[in-house]
Amino acid sequence: MGLTKEPFGTDFIWGVSTAAYQIEGGYLQDGKGFSIWDDFVRKSGKIAKGEHADVACDFYHRYDDDLKLMRDMNIRHHRFSISWSRIFPVGRGEVNQAGIDYYNRLIDHMLSLGITPWVTLYHWDLPSSLEIKGGWTNRDVVEWFGDYVACCVRNFGDRVKHWMVLNEPMVFTGAGYFLGIHAPGRRGLNSFLAATHHAALAQAHGARIIKSLQAESIVGTTFSTSHIEPFSAKDRDVQAAKRADALLNRLFVEPLLGLGYPTEEIKTLRKIEKYMQADDEKNLKFDMDLVGVQNYTREIVAHSYFIPYLRAKLVTAQDRQVPVTTMNWEVYPESIYHILKKYSAYENMPPLMITENGASFPDEVTQDKVYDPARTQYLQDAIAHMQRAKDDGVDVRGYFVWTFLDNFEWAEGYDPRFGLVHVDFETQRRIIKDSGKWYADFLRD
C-alpha cells in the first residue's frame, strides 16, 4: 500500500504556504507603500537577471481563480502573509482602508470555498519608511510591529483564528542584516545582533497582543531549520557543527522557550547583551500554541579558520557530489525527521507543524503538462519521514507544502520553481504539475 494521509488522523492539517511579496504583485496598487523588497530589487546586481516582483503571479488580481484552483486540488488550508505596507503605507500611523478591504475580500473568498486562512503577519516585507528609521536594528520596531499586529487582529480576527507571528527570523536577520544578500542589504555584526534581539522580542510581543485581543486564537511562529552533521568525526568539525546548529536552529527558538540565547556555543552572541534592557529576558519568552518548522535540506559543516565569529563553513552539496535541487541544496527529505525529533526534545516545546517543505527542480511544459517526478518523490519521502517522527511520538499537527504557485524566489528571481502549480510569468497561465495532481489525490477524502 502506498503513502496515504490516514495514519496522520482526521485532525491533521494539510495545506500550502505562500507569501505576499512573492505572489501578489500590485506593488503600488490601491495605496500600498514601498517595502524594503520593493527597494532592494531596484538595486543593481542584487537579484538574478535583475528580476523583481512588481507583478509576480499577479495574485492581487487573480486570487479568485487561484483560490478556486486550490479548492479543486482539495487543499483546505492556506498559509499566506499580509503585506505590512498594504495596511500601513508608511509602516505606522494612518491605515490604508483599501489594503484592509483587499484582505477582507481574500479571507472571505477563502472561507466561502471552504479554505481555512492561516495568516503570517511578517514575511520579510518591512515598510521602507521604517527601514529609513533603522528597521529591525531600531528597538522601536517592536512597538511598530505590535501596532500593525493589533490592527490585523482587530480587522480580520473575527474570521482568522490561526496566526503565525514571524516567518524565519534567522533568515531575514542573517541574510538581510549580516550578509546583505537580502533586503534591506545591511551588513555587519552589530546590525545583525540588534536585528536579532528586536525580532526575538517582536515574536513574543506580537503573540501577546494577539492573545490579548483574541484569547481563543491559535498562535505560533515559524523557524527555518536544517539538519546539521559534522564533515568528519574530528573534534574541530564536531564543534563547528555545534556552532552552526546554534546559529541556524537554536538562535530564535531557545529565547522563546525561556532558555536565553545559545551563547555557550557562540561566544560572539554575548555581545547581544548591549541591546538588552530590563525585563527583556522575561519578555523574550512566550508559550506559543504551536511552533512552525520550515525545513528543506541538511547541511554538512566543517571547521574553518577563515570564517569570522563562527569558525565553521558549509561543505557544499556540489563538493560532496550528491543530488541537488535548482537552489543547489542537497536532496535530503530525511532532514525533516531529524529536525522534528530535535525540536520535540525541548522540555517545554508546544506541538509542531511543518509550515514549509518542498523542493525546486527544473520544470518543462510539454503539451500543457508538467511532468516533475523529482518533486513528487521529494514530497512523498518528506511526508513519510514526518510520519516516521510522528510514529516515534513527536507531536506534529500539520504539513504545508512550499509552495502553491511558482513565484519570485527572493534573490534567486524566478528560476527556482517550488510550486505545485506552474506559472508562465509572461502570460500568467497556470498548469497543475504532476506533483500538484499527486497532492490533490493524496488529499482527496
Side-chain angles (χ1 to χ4, degrees):
M1 184 177 172
L3 186 70
T4 71
K5 63 185 173 71
E6 274 59 50
F8 292 92
T10 55
D11 294 332
F12 198 84
I13 303 298
W14 299 96
V16 289
S17 287
T18 64
Y21 186 74
Q22 293 178 272
I23 66 169
E24 280 183 0
Y27 80 112
L28 285 183
Q29 195 103 21
D30 300 327
K32 178 186 170 293
F34 254 55
S35 78
I36 56 175
W37 274 95
D38 292 317
D39 289 331
F40 194 67
V41 297
R42 284 163 172 77
K43 294 179 180 178
S44 177
K46 296 297 185 182
I47 312 297
K49 299 180 183 177
E51 292 172 332
H52 55 73
D54 293 0
V55 177
C57 307
D58 199 28
F59 185 77
Y60 188 80
H61 299 104
R62 298 170 184 268
Y63 69 85
D64 186 344
D65 289 340
D66 284 337
L67 291 175
K68 286 175 181 172
L69 186 62
M70 190 180 290
R71 175 202 59 192
D72 292 346
M73 292 170 66
N74 305 314
I75 296 164
R76 296 292 178 260
H77 297 268
H78 178 203
R79 174 181 164 252
F80 66 100
S81 74
I82 290 175
S83 166
W84 187 340
S85 59
R86 235 183 249 294
I87 305 298
F88 289 107
V90 296
R92 52 202 293 246
E94 189 174 344
V95 175
N96 177 32
Q97 189 58 44
I100 298 289
D101 294 345
Y102 166 69
Y103 288 110
N104 275 326
R105 292 193 302 272
L106 181 63
I107 291 163
D108 288 345
H109 192 46
M110 287 173 59
L111 292 170
S112 75
L113 295 171
I115 299 170
T116 301
W118 293 65
V119 169
T120 303
L121 287 157
Y122 185 74
H123 201 129
W124 305 2
D125 47 359
L126 187 75
S128 298
S129 299
L130 300 184
E131 179 57 31
I132 292 169
K133 300 176 190 295
W136 287 99
T137 69
N138 184 338
R139 189 181 175 93
D140 290 343
V141 75
V142 179
E143 296 306 319
W144 302 333
F145 180 66
D147 292 344
Y148 157 68
V149 170
C151 178
C152 289
V153 177
R154 290 190 180 107
N155 280 281
F156 313 127
D158 57 329
R159 287 148 295 149
V160 173
K161 306 302 178 186
H162 303 85
W163 302 91
M164 294 289 171
V165 182
L166 299 181
N167 184 79
E168 299 184 340
M170 182 57 229
V171 179
F172 75 74
T173 58
Y177 286 86
F178 183 68
L179 298 175
I181 57 174
H182 278 188
R186 294 193 184 211
R187 297 170 65 96
L189 183 65
N190 288 336
S191 289
F192 171 66
L193 293 176
T196 292
H197 185 54
H198 302 148
L201 285 169
Q203 75 181 354
H205 182 59
R208 276 191 287 272
I209 286 174
I210 300 167
K211 283 293 191 181
S212 71
L213 296 172
Q214 191 192 72
E216 74 283 4
S217 61
I218 304 298
V219 181
T221 196
T222 78
F223 300 111
S224 53
T225 63
S226 293
H227 175 51
I228 305 288
E229 294 181 18
F231 179 64
S232 77
K234 293 177 182 174
D235 185 63
R236 64 181 190 175
D237 286 345
V238 171
Q239 296 307 316
K242 286 181 179 177
R243 292 191 295 275
D245 179 64
L247 181 69
L248 298 179
N249 295 323
R250 297 170 50 197
L251 181 57
F252 282 91
V253 71
E254 292 189 358
L256 183 70
L257 297 174
L259 302 172
Y261 295 110
T263 54
E264 282 303 307
E265 286 74 17
I266 306 175
K267 303 293 191 286
T268 305
L269 283 178
R270 293 175 183 174
K271 294 181 179 179
I272 211 165
E273 288 179 4
K274 75 176 181 179
Y275 303 103
M276 296 185 73
Q277 297 181 10
D279 294 329
D280 275 8
E281 204 156 332
K282 179 183 73 177
N283 290 330
L284 288 167
K285 184 181 185 301
F286 185 80
D287 294 327
M288 295 285 183
D289 297 307
L290 57 89
V291 159
V293 174
Q294 317 211 142
N295 182 261
Y296 294 90
T297 187
R298 71 169 170 177
E299 300 290 0
I300 305 299
V301 175
H303 178 267
S304 172
Y305 289 109
F306 305 108
I307 307 297
Y309 312 123
L310 207 57
R311 298 288 180 255
K313 67 175 181 181
L314 302 179
V315 183
T316 68
Q318 293 96 317
D319 286 347
R320 291 183 279 123
Q321 297 183 319
V322 295
V324 296
T325 68
T326 50
M327 295 288 287
N328 290 320
W329 298 342
E330 180 183 3
V331 178
Y332 193 77
E334 189 176 348
S335 180
I336 211 168
Y337 170 80
H338 297 294
I339 287 294
L340 284 170
K341 293 281 282 186
K342 177 184 181 65
Y343 267 43
S344 68
Y346 284 107
E347 192 173 328
N348 48 347
M349 178 63 74
L352 300 172
M353 297 190 85
I354 300 297
T355 40
E356 282 185 24
N357 174 251
S360 66
F361 291 104
D363 288 342
E364 195 171 313
V365 180
T366 306
Q367 296 179 324
D368 295 335
K369 289 184 168 56
V370 179
Y371 177 58
D372 60 338
R375 182 176 293 104
T376 303
Q377 187 66 55
Y378 178 93
L379 295 173
Q380 290 172 346
D381 290 346
I383 290 169
H385 285 297
M386 179 174 64
Q387 182 181 330
R388 180 179 155 212
K390 189 171 171 58
D391 290 345
D392 281 359
V394 174
D395 188 0
V396 54
R397 304 279 181 93
Y399 176 84
F400 290 74
V401 174
W402 183 268
T403 181
F404 181 57
L405 302 167
D406 289 338
N407 61 22
F408 178 78
E409 273 300 330
W410 310 111
E412 285 77 24
Y414 291 99
D415 270 358
R417 291 178 175 267
F418 282 86
L420 297 172
V421 176
H422 181 274
V423 177
D424 182 325
F425 294 104
E426 296 294 319
T427 65
Q428 293 297 338
R429 186 171 179 228
R430 273 66 162 151
I431 300 173
I432 302 174
K433 303 177 190 179
D434 279 5
S435 59
K437 293 174 183 176
W438 171 79
Y439 196 51
D441 287 341
F442 177 78
L443 299 182
R444 184 170 285 115
D445 290 329

